[in-house]
Amino acid sequence: GPEICFAPPQAPAGYHHGAQNTKNVAQSMAQTAKNIGSKFVLALGDNFYFRGVESASDPLWKSVWEKQFDYASLHTPWYAILGNHDHYGNPEAQIDFSRKHLDCKEFEHCPARWVMPRYWYSVVHPSARKRFDVQFVFIDTVILAEASSKAMAEEKARLGMLNKADMARWEAWSKEQEMMGRLQLAWLEQTLNASTADWLIVAGHYPVYSGGEHGDTPELQHRVKPLLDKYNVDAYLCGHDHTLQMLESNGVHYFVSGSGSFHGQYSPKGESLFGTVECGFMAHRIMPSRMDVSIIDQHGKTLYRSFIPRKRNRNRGGVGELAGVEKEFQMDADKVYKIF
């Protein structure tokens, strides 16, 4: 909405109410984070509407992010990646903001909580008792799905949301994107192949599968999905479509969480387990033997809950030691909590 980001007149219906939705979601996120003792947040792209930020000192850092999410329970690491709208601005600025620890310097949140060291990266989180670990592999799908990204940019240009200068910048960047896409795909396979983590989760902006307004991303189904299947990935997390969804294909669970501000469209598909256009977020609680996922609306109501069994390294880390939900929930020190 206009209070927190630029919404052009051509924006789809409902986009101009994003400011209040964001405030509601932020409040509910903060309360949920406090309740579960969240360790970190995932920001899976389209962090700044409609054209990202122009610099590491852009005022949108304060109005869109710092001011909206200034709650003690959310003063944890925010692992962020870029979405297509972030690429319409200056994507390097979000990386610079992280590398220079500007949220510590500008907003006095130390250590800095905005984490985006590069376009793609990976982090490993051990549980508190170090009985199991979780590896998150963050990818830039805007680069990997260059053809889909270009088509969306051209559509927004026809609608007047991007101007000629924006498109000229996009075209100049396209050849470099092709090269970066090849490098990123090689890195992704190498990273997944080398992983020894008990839980392995990949996160991008575009969905592999989605019943939302943008639907499936063909390039990711062709380039990324085979790697998720081959290397026994537990889950793929994403945003982009303004929906909350859970899907499953070939043992990999797919989560779409892109309705922090806007209502999109949703039609269930063969892989769908749950879907809604309500504004909200997801809370993931990772335990030795399974992941507890809650889909929560902007008012804090749980719309859907699911438990996903662990697939990897089942002969270690206490997978066979826990019996029943109650016993698992008593082991607070052995959970890894995140929200996105």
Side-chain angles (χ1 to χ4, degrees):
E3 296 97 327
I4 60 171
C5 58
F6 172 69
Q10 303 90 336
Y15 273 44
H16 297 279
H17 304 291
Q20 186 57 53
N21 294 338
T22 299
K23 292 175 182 177
N24 293 342
V25 168
Q27 290 173 359
S28 294
M29 279 179 61
Q31 186 60 54
T32 299
K34 181 180 179 180
N35 292 344
I36 69 174
S38 175
K39 303 297 190 295
F40 50 90
V41 178
L42 305 186
L44 300 184
D46 285 358
N47 305 313
F48 301 91
Y49 263 79
F50 265 75
R51 293 163 61 182
V53 293
E54 289 301 319
S55 70
S57 58
D58 194 305
L60 291 179
W61 282 106
K62 184 173 182 63
S63 62
V64 172
W65 181 57
E66 163 63 16
K67 183 179 178 181
Q68 301 299 321
F69 298 95
D70 189 18
Y71 295 89
S73 61
L74 299 179
H75 290 174
T76 58
W78 283 55
Y79 295 108
I81 54 177
L82 298 164
N84 54 303
H85 285 273
D86 300 306
H87 273 277
Y88 300 152
N90 179 1
E92 292 283 345
Q94 295 192 40
I95 297 173
D96 289 343
F97 191 87
S98 172
R99 289 178 174 175
K100 296 176 181 178
H101 307 291
L102 291 182
D103 52 332
C104 177
K105 297 176 181 177
E106 297 294 329
F107 305 131
E108 299 182 353
H109 292 309
C110 304
R113 57 176 178 157
W114 186 264
V115 181
M116 190 192 291
R118 55 191 68 87
Y119 287 91
W120 57 86
Y121 62 100
S122 178
V123 295
V124 177
H125 269 274
S127 66
R129 297 179 185 177
K130 297 182 171 55
R131 296 175 62 217
F132 70 96
D133 58 8
V134 185
Q135 182 170 7
F136 294 92
V137 181
F138 298 99
I139 60 177
D140 190 320
T141 57
V142 180
I143 292 174
L144 283 173
E146 196 274 336
S148 291
S149 299
K150 182 178 180 180
M152 276 185 282
E154 291 173 343
E155 178 186 15
K156 286 172 173 52
R158 289 193 297 271
L159 293 172
M161 297 181 188
L162 298 177
N163 57 38
K164 290 183 178 180
D166 296 325
M167 294 307 298
R169 180 167 54 182
W170 187 274
E171 289 293 339
W173 169 237
S174 61
K175 289 188 183 289
E176 190 172 352
Q177 277 191 322
E178 292 178 14
M179 179 190 68
M180 292 176 70
R182 291 192 297 270
L183 291 173
Q184 182 181 182
L185 195 65
W187 171 88
L188 176 60
E189 178 155 24
Q190 182 182 24
T191 301
L192 297 179
N193 183 46
S195 177
T196 61
D198 299 310
W199 289 87
L200 184 56
I201 298 171
V202 176
H205 178 63
Y206 292 158
V208 176
Y209 292 105
S210 173
E213 62 270 20
H214 296 104
D216 302 343
T217 307
E219 297 98 322
L220 298 188
Q221 291 189 343
H222 175 68
R223 306 178 83 180
V224 174
K225 183 184 183 301
L227 301 181
L228 305 181
D229 295 336
K230 180 179 180 179
Y231 294 108
N232 207 24
V233 170
D234 293 284
Y236 177 83
L237 315 179
C238 70
H240 194 48
D241 279 339
H242 302 300
T243 59
L244 296 167
Q245 300 179 60
M246 178 177 174
L247 309 95
E248 188 272 336
S249 175
N250 200 30
V252 180
H253 287 83
Y254 296 85
F255 296 94
V256 182
S257 182
S259 60
S261 294
F262 308 135
H263 300 280
Q265 300 174 359
Y266 173 72
S267 297
K269 50 189 287 120
E271 296 80 10
S272 299
L273 299 176
F274 175 82
T276 181
V277 298
E278 292 295 321
C279 287
F281 60 98
M282 297 187 184
H284 295 244
R285 290 173 278 193
I286 304 177
M287 297 171 271
S289 65
R290 61 185 171 184
M291 182 192 304
D292 173 11
V293 182
S294 295
I295 298 178
I296 303 169
D297 74 8
Q298 62 179 311
H299 305 296
K301 179 182 178 181
T302 299
L303 303 177
Y304 184 78
R305 191 176 182 187
S306 181
F307 295 90
I308 300 170
R310 170 172 148 190
K311 299 194 301 184
R312 300 166 56 83
N313 303 332
R314 292 187 57 82
N315 61 334
R316 76 180 194 200
V319 169
E321 300 174 11
L322 302 178
V325 176
E326 183 176 356
K327 187 172 183 180
E328 289 200 18
F329 271 68
Q330 290 171 353
M331 301 184 65
D332 288 335
D334 256 6
K335 301 174 187 174
V336 175
Y337 291 139
K338 62 186 173 67
I339 61 178
F340 82 106

